[in-house]
Amino acid sequence: MTLTTETRKRIVPPRTAPRPSPLARSAVPPLAPGALPGLGHATALLRDPLGFLGSLARHGGVVRIRLGPRTVCVVTDARLVHTLLVALAYDCPRGAVQDTLKTAFGDGLLMSEGQAHRDRRRIIQPAFAPDRMGEYLAVMHQVTEERAGRWRAGQVLDVAKEMNHLALEIVTRSLFDARLSEDATVAFHQALPDLVKGQIVQSLYPHPALARVPLPVNRRFESAVRVLNQVVDQAVNGRAPGPRSETARHTLPALLRAATDPATGLPLTEADVRSEAITMFGAGTETVSTTLTWLLDELLRHPGVEARVLAELDEHLPAGTAPTPEALARLTYTRSVTQEVVRLHAPNAFLMRTAEAPVELGPYRIPAGTELLYSLTALHRDPVRYPEPLAFRPERWQDGGGSGRPSFLPFGAGKHKCIGEAFAWAELTVAAAAILRRWRPAAVPGSRAREVVWTTVQAQGLRVRLAPREPRAAGRERASGGQRKAAGECAPGGERRSGDERTAPGGGPTPSPGGTGPGTERPGAERRGTEWLGAERPGTERPAPGCPFAAAARPSDLPATGPATTPTSPPVPARLPGELRAAADRHADWAVRHGLLAPSELPGYRAYALHELIGHSFPRVRGAELDLLVDMLGWFTILDDRFDGPPGRRPAEAHALVDPLIALLDGNRTPPESRLLASWRELWDRQTASMSPAWRARAAREWQSCLATFPAEADHRARGTVPAHGLGLTDTMRLRRHGSCLYPFMNILERVHGTDAPAALHAEPALHRLRANTADAATLINDLYSLDREERQTAAAFNTVLTLQRARHCTRSRAVRAVRERVARLRQESEELRLELQRRHPAGRWYLDGTRELVAGVQAWTSTSDRYLVRDDDGRRR
């Protein structure tokens, strides 16, 4: 069994509120279920620490677990953890995990208790006094600029490694006025993993004597302790080259050597100095570097958040100016971003205390000698205190929304609260600002940050390729952000302030008793979307001038490829070679892992080249957002293919497949009964992460509209009310419009952009028409290319070309030309609508351009994908 654990961010099961306990104060905390004979819960804890600890909250505010022969009480309620750290701090000192380090590094600030801790804190406090912060900020800025200045365009960085080196150098230069050799820096970082592993293993030993047995883990732990002491000695006894500043007298070693021990009246020993120095190295490097790594990872996933951070930096901390405490205080949105990173990625997986006297925690009486454990990660992802806990939402901290929360304890609380909290917050902001101003990192495909859990939750695996940030890019982004702000549509973090969310097109389709399809379109949009079907005249057979399908790519009556663009379209950066293919590989693994496809089905499925459709339609999407879109499209395609079989003709089977998916959108979080539902749950969580309530409500409505078309079509087939046979052309178009999933993918434009489109833009009737045109044009293009395959289906196909043939009793060629002409008119009208909307809402141009790219992407992909190929009688594809 390995002690290292890689986990995703799902760790807390949903619950509505902390359970009030009916037990008396003498009650014993409940025992968590699942204990194994002899091992207790150790296996579950080692296999998935975050998942296991997060699951305990459902059993009570304090829960007993067994680790071999030992019983540990896990405190899961944030209020009780706060009580433990503040009111009970003197009765519940440090626990077994910290005691392991105490034997190695002495009785320093991190490990000391009682009066010794208070005395040592008073000695060290001047090093973190407010009047020193300006000095530290200058050093932080200089160190980061120097390190970032050594990077090169196109270079691929191991972000965790770079941030480790950066954090260590900042601590060394700021607190010790020293420089470490490169060998010492490398040795320090190589020794840390062995130190942490040994710390965990030794804390779990049933008897302390086992730590002296020459086991490999113990030997590596002792070697790591020696290396770290050597590195600290170099920092404590060395100093940076150059003239010694007046403030060098205030370095941490100088403060310690000038102090006396109040208990003895004697100067502190060199062992005392080393003990405090190692505390600062440990606390000031790993946790800060891990948080910096997560910060960069989250900004890569949320480019809209990154743009707002850069805009705020331009306004309050212009490039070329030295950071000051006053400037940092004005960076309110940037502080919200760093707070949200620290909340979502709390650096401490678990910490321990030991009750030296009987104590009361809530309704429970805890006997003396009991070990108490708590997980900051689980507390910070509690859905009761942090709605949508796994979503990255900086806006939850705006306007003081998160200040003073007893459930937010990244630096602890009470007498043991981290002495360097202000230093750490400043370091995160200054380092991130210097890096982002100089470089625009792009994640290398397949190398996003992942959680690796020891006592800390580390970020490993993030690799980025560097591109220089254009000198004026930040200014342009600030202007864009200013326009969005002036439009008044978004609260901090992208959440819409106002509540005038209009009903989106496509909300809630339900087959009517009369057999007509669903629809809640605005009348104007519906009329414009179907008027072309009303009168077939001979003059309509000639393609309209400028028709994008004037030349054919496959059979002569099908359209050619070639995405439409306009001279005003912004340039699209080239993707890295193989980036789309890597996303396709990850999607194939995802589909097989979720049981959506068997490995034997992959070759035919991969021939669809769905990743290329996403690549054409969303040319700027990278990394995790690219993976999300490919997974969404693949999941929908797999679902759609199921309705080529019996569910497409049997309404009961169709409802059995779709109704649980729709119920999940309504908030029904029952345990998944199928692999399809389980994968949909995971996709929905990924889609909605960090998005505003207005966006989530709109997305839910439009996914419901889309999914409801499957049983609606099955019902029409079962009753014989298929297109042109009881189902009119208008209702057919309405079904096709909502069944194509174009509305959800128009919504996802906002997800990948990182913020909602302006609320005023969403309220425009012209936008409703544009969205309807976009869905219709893409659907009609799809109908043209899928025509050969759908003609051969035994079940009635909801294909517009076939519907026209039946309804107008015209030839296949004439129906195809009518569809082609309609696509041309839709695209022309859409351009006029975009120009009109862009004049009134310039901050929403990215959204308007995105609707054009969606149609162009569908056109480019349908001409090359194997999805719509059919086979001749001899099995050859055509």
Side-chain angles (χ1 to χ4, degrees):
M1 180 186 303
T2 178
L3 283 173
T4 186
T5 302
E6 294 185 11
T7 177
R8 294 187 178 229
K9 293 192 288 190
R10 49 169 183 80
I11 71 162
V12 182
R15 59 189 178 94
T16 57
R19 296 181 180 179
S21 174
L23 305 177
R25 287 194 173 273
S26 60
V28 176
L31 179 68
L36 300 176
L39 296 174
H41 300 91
T43 302
L45 179 64
L46 294 174
R47 183 191 303 119
D48 182 9
L50 300 185
F52 174 70
L53 293 173
S55 71
L56 298 177
R58 70 181 71 172
H59 304 296
V62 182
V63 182
R64 287 180 298 136
I65 63 172
R66 289 182 178 143
L67 304 178
R70 298 159 57 188
T71 297
V72 176
C73 284
V74 181
V75 188
T76 67
D77 186 287
R79 293 167 300 182
L80 298 183
V81 171
H82 193 268
T83 297
L84 175 68
L85 300 182
V86 179
L88 302 178
Y90 294 97
D91 292 326
C92 300
R94 304 288 191 179
V97 175
Q98 289 88 338
D99 287 345
T100 301
L101 291 182
K102 185 175 181 179
T103 61
F105 299 119
D107 197 15
L109 181 67
L110 183 63
M111 276 71 73
S112 60
E113 293 290 344
Q115 187 61 46
H117 175 82
R118 290 193 293 273
D119 290 342
R120 193 61 56 87
R121 193 176 182 97
R122 279 195 291 267
I123 293 172
I124 296 173
Q125 188 65 55
F128 296 96
D131 59 357
R132 300 294 308 278
M133 190 54 63
E135 192 180 307
Y136 291 149
L137 293 178
V139 177
M140 294 171 186
H141 179 71
Q142 181 181 356
V143 170
T144 309
E145 286 286 347
E146 290 174 359
R147 188 156 202 95
R150 295 195 290 268
W151 301 339
R152 295 292 176 262
Q155 179 181 352
V156 175
L157 289 184
D158 181 328
V159 177
K161 179 180 177 181
E162 282 295 319
M163 295 305 103
N164 275 331
H165 284 258
L166 174 62
L168 179 62
E169 190 171 359
I170 287 175
V171 167
T172 305
R173 296 264 293 273
S174 299
L175 297 180
F176 296 88
D177 192 30
R179 291 182 186 265
L180 294 177
S181 67
E182 186 63 23
D183 289 343
T185 300
V186 172
F188 179 87
H189 292 302
Q190 289 177 340
L192 274 179
D194 289 333
L195 181 78
V196 174
K197 293 172 187 176
Q199 180 187 14
I200 291 180
V201 173
Q202 291 186 15
S203 69
L204 295 176
Y205 285 155
H207 194 282
L210 288 174
R212 296 191 293 273
V213 176
L215 299 173
V217 66
N218 292 340
R219 291 199 302 270
R220 287 193 293 268
F221 177 78
E222 292 170 359
S223 176
V225 170
R226 287 194 297 271
V227 168
L228 265 63
N229 273 302
Q230 292 168 3
V231 171
V232 169
D233 284 343
Q234 185 180 131
V236 167
N237 298 316
R239 66 179 184 88
R244 197 165 183 83
S245 65
E246 180 65 21
T247 57
R249 294 177 303 171
H250 303 296
T251 63
L252 183 63
L255 286 173
L256 293 169
R257 286 171 176 144
T260 57
D261 185 344
T264 64
L266 299 175
L268 299 182
T269 66
E270 284 302 303
D272 293 327
V273 175
R274 183 185 297 109
S275 177
E276 301 305 343
I278 197 68
T279 296
M280 298 304 159
F281 272 97
T285 56
E286 185 183 16
T287 55
V288 171
S289 65
T290 296
T291 304
L292 274 172
T293 303
W294 283 122
L295 174 60
L296 293 178
D297 186 73
E298 291 294 352
L299 293 180
L300 286 171
R301 297 175 191 270
H302 302 88
V305 173
E306 181 192 46
R308 287 195 63 182
V309 168
L310 287 167
E312 187 174 67
L313 291 173
D314 282 348
E315 183 177 357
H316 298 298
L317 190 61
T321 61
T324 64
E326 295 74 22
L328 294 191
R330 292 191 291 270
L331 301 176
T332 56
Y333 182 73
T334 304
R335 177 59 177 258
S336 295
V337 171
T338 56
Q339 284 179 299
E340 181 68 351
V341 171
V342 171
R343 180 201 67 81
L344 185 55
H345 304 287
N348 296 109
F350 61 89
L351 295 165
M352 297 185 73
R353 296 287 188 267
T354 301
E356 290 190 341
V359 296
E360 291 180 349
L361 276 174
Y364 306 112
R365 185 167 180 81
I366 308 300
T370 301
E371 292 180 290
L372 297 154
L373 181 148
Y374 61 97
S375 168
L376 290 182
T377 310
L379 293 177
H380 290 177
R381 297 178 183 177
D382 184 346
V384 173
R385 293 173 174 82
Y386 298 99
E388 297 182 274
L390 302 185
F392 181 72
R393 291 178 49 202
E395 65 270 14
R396 73 174 87 233
W397 301 97
Q398 292 287 289
D399 301 322
S403 60
R405 292 187 184 184
S407 57
F408 186 58
L409 303 167
F411 295 94
K415 68 187 185 73
H416 282 291
K417 187 174 184 179
C418 177
I419 197 172
E421 178 180 4
F423 184 98
W425 285 121
E427 183 179 358
L428 290 172
T429 303
V430 172
I435 292 170
L436 293 174
R437 277 228 169 92
R438 184 183 289 259
W439 297 105
R440 185 187 297 276
V444 174
S447 63
R448 303 309 295 260
R450 65 184 188 277
E451 292 177 334
V452 178
V453 183
W454 291 98
T455 51
T456 57
V457 184
Q458 301 174 10
Q460 294 186 8
L462 178 61
R463 295 169 66 241
V464 299
R465 190 180 303 277
L466 297 173
R469 192 177 294 278
E470 296 177 11
R472 297 184 61 188
R476 285 196 298 273
E477 288 161 348
R478 176 180 61 179
S480 174
Q483 289 170 339
R484 288 195 299 270
K485 185 174 181 181
E489 84 285 7
C490 289
E495 185 168 345
R496 192 171 286 122
R497 288 183 183 274
S498 66
D500 76 330
E501 176 65 21
R502 304 297 179 91
T503 301
T510 305
S512 66
T516 58
T520 57
E521 281 297 343
R522 300 173 63 90
E526 190 59 57
R527 178 183 59 78
R528 289 173 176 261
T530 58
E531 63 185 3
W532 66 286
L533 297 170
E536 253 333 307
R537 296 189 302 273
T540 63
E541 293 192 21
R542 184 169 53 85
C547 173
F549 306 131
R554 290 213 296 234
S556 60
D557 53 358
L558 295 182
T561 60
T565 58
T566 66
T568 58
S569 297
V572 179
R575 276 197 178 86
L576 298 175
E579 190 170 355
L580 283 174
R581 175 58 58 183
D585 293 340
R586 292 191 294 273
H587 169 65
D589 292 341
W590 180 87
V592 171
R593 187 170 67 253
H594 283 81
L596 300 175
L597 293 172
S600 61
E601 297 174 298
L602 283 179
Y605 174 75
R606 296 191 69 156
Y608 295 170
L610 298 174
H611 61 288
E612 293 181 5
L613 173 53
I614 294 299
H616 289 306
S617 301
F618 297 88
R620 296 166 187 80
V621 173
R622 302 288 187 272
E625 306 295 344
L626 178 62
D627 288 344
L628 170 62
L629 266 62
V630 175
D631 288 345
M632 284 173 57
L633 181 61
W635 179 90
F636 182 80
T637 302
I638 293 168
L639 174 67
D640 184 62
D641 283 350
R642 293 194 182 190
F643 287 88
D644 290 342
R649 300 183 296 276
R650 301 171 184 171
E653 292 186 25
H655 278 289
L657 275 175
V658 169
D659 287 353
L661 308 176
I662 295 176
L664 185 141
L665 297 170
D666 288 329
N668 186 348
R669 291 269 173 165
T670 57
E673 299 176 358
S674 69
R675 291 172 176 174
L676 184 69
L677 178 57
S679 56
W680 176 233
R681 179 197 301 272
E682 191 252 9
L683 270 180
W684 179 244
D685 287 341
R686 285 162 62 192
Q687 289 177 62
T688 56
S690 80
M691 296 307 292
S692 71
W695 186 93
R696 291 192 297 273
R698 184 169 63 251
R701 287 196 303 271
E702 293 179 356
W703 267 120
Q704 288 167 347
S705 300
C706 175
L707 295 172
T709 60
F710 288 111
E713 290 182 359
D715 184 65
H716 286 304
R717 292 190 185 102
R719 292 189 292 158
T721 55
V722 294
H725 295 287
L727 183 65
L729 293 171
T730 298
D731 294 324
T732 300
M733 276 304 300
R734 189 183 293 119
L735 274 171
R736 297 290 295 127
R737 175 184 300 156
H738 294 298
S740 64
C741 84
L742 261 294
Y743 278 116
F745 272 89
M746 279 186 274
N747 287 335
I748 215 71
L749 287 167
E750 297 169 272
R751 172 71 175 82
V752 299
H753 190 74
T755 187
D756 289 9
L761 175 62
H762 271 298
E764 286 273 11
L767 182 70
H768 289 243
R769 293 199 301 273
L770 175 62
R771 283 162 58 91
N773 286 0
T774 300
D776 285 352
T779 299
L780 294 174
I781 292 170
N782 184 278
D783 282 354
L784 288 166
Y785 277 95
S786 63
L787 180 58
D788 282 350
R789 190 181 77 163
E790 292 179 339
E791 278 182 319
R792 289 161 171 76
Q793 289 181 186
T794 56
F798 284 74
N799 183 293
T800 315
V801 177
L802 299 178
T803 303
L804 273 173
Q805 281 186 262
R806 299 189 192 106
R808 302 302 179 202
H809 306 289
C810 63
T811 64
R812 181 185 196 269
S813 177
R814 185 178 178 187
V816 166
R817 283 196 294 273
V819 172
R820 290 164 55 186
E821 287 181 336
R822 181 56 186 162
V823 172
R825 287 197 296 273
L826 286 170
R827 297 178 78 163
Q828 180 179 358
E829 180 183 299
S830 295
E831 285 304 320
E832 295 169 357
L833 289 170
R834 287 189 190 96
L835 289 173
E836 174 189 344
L837 289 167
Q838 186 177 315
R839 282 194 296 269
R840 292 202 294 269
H841 308 283
R845 175 179 169 174
W846 57 269
Y847 183 89
L848 302 172
D849 288 346
T851 60
R852 179 195 302 113
E853 290 167 349
L854 273 172
V855 177
V858 170
Q859 181 184 342
W861 171 78
T862 48
S863 66
T864 57
S865 172
D866 283 359
R867 176 165 170 75
Y868 302 120
L869 293 180
V870 297
R871 295 183 181 275
D872 294 327
D873 294 338
D874 59 3
R876 291 181 300 175
R877 296 185 303 178
R878 58 182 293 271

